[in-house]
């Protein structure tokens, strides 16, 4: 396990106080926040990629073809 030292102030300090108000330790709050931040970053990248794909006529046509194929599966 790594040990990280960090100085916080302002908004970060306020956020930490909020996260630990229910008795969560500072270490647990920071670990949870790091995991959540990484998850949010991945979701944002996926959202951007999805928007890019939706704007691409070739990608949209490919999705339509797949959906049409799945329509045939449901009819069987």
């Amino acid at each position: 396990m790594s040990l990280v030292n960090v100085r916080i102030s302002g908004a970060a300090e306020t956020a930490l106080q909020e996260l630990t108000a229910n008795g969560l330790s500072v270490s647990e709050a920071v670990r949870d926040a790091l995991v959540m931040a990484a998850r949010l970053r991945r979701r944002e990248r996926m959202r951007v990629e999805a928007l890019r794909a939706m704007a691409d006529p070739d990608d949209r046509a490919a999705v339509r073809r797949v959906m049409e194929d799945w329509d045939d599966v449901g009819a069987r």
Side-chain angles (χ1 to χ4, degrees), residues 5-72:
N5 291 313
V6 63
R7 292 178 194 217
I8 61 171
S9 62
E13 190 168 6
T14 301
L16 184 58
Q17 288 172 355
E18 181 179 336
L19 292 172
T20 58
N22 67 350
L24 196 65
S25 74
V26 170
S27 292
E28 291 170 315
V30 170
R31 282 192 296 269
D32 290 350
L34 288 170
V35 170
M36 182 60 69
R39 185 178 297 141
L40 288 172
R41 183 169 286 178
R42 283 190 304 271
R43 286 181 181 176
E44 177 60 16
R45 280 196 310 262
M46 288 187 294
R47 187 187 73 78
V48 168
E49 289 173 15
L51 289 173
R52 188 176 301 129
M54 288 177 8
D56 184 322
D58 293 335
D59 282 342
R60 290 196 350 243
V63 169
R64 270 194 301 279
R65 286 191 300 275
V66 169
M67 296 302 287
E68 289 168 0
D69 289 345
W70 277 103
D71 282 345
D72 292 344

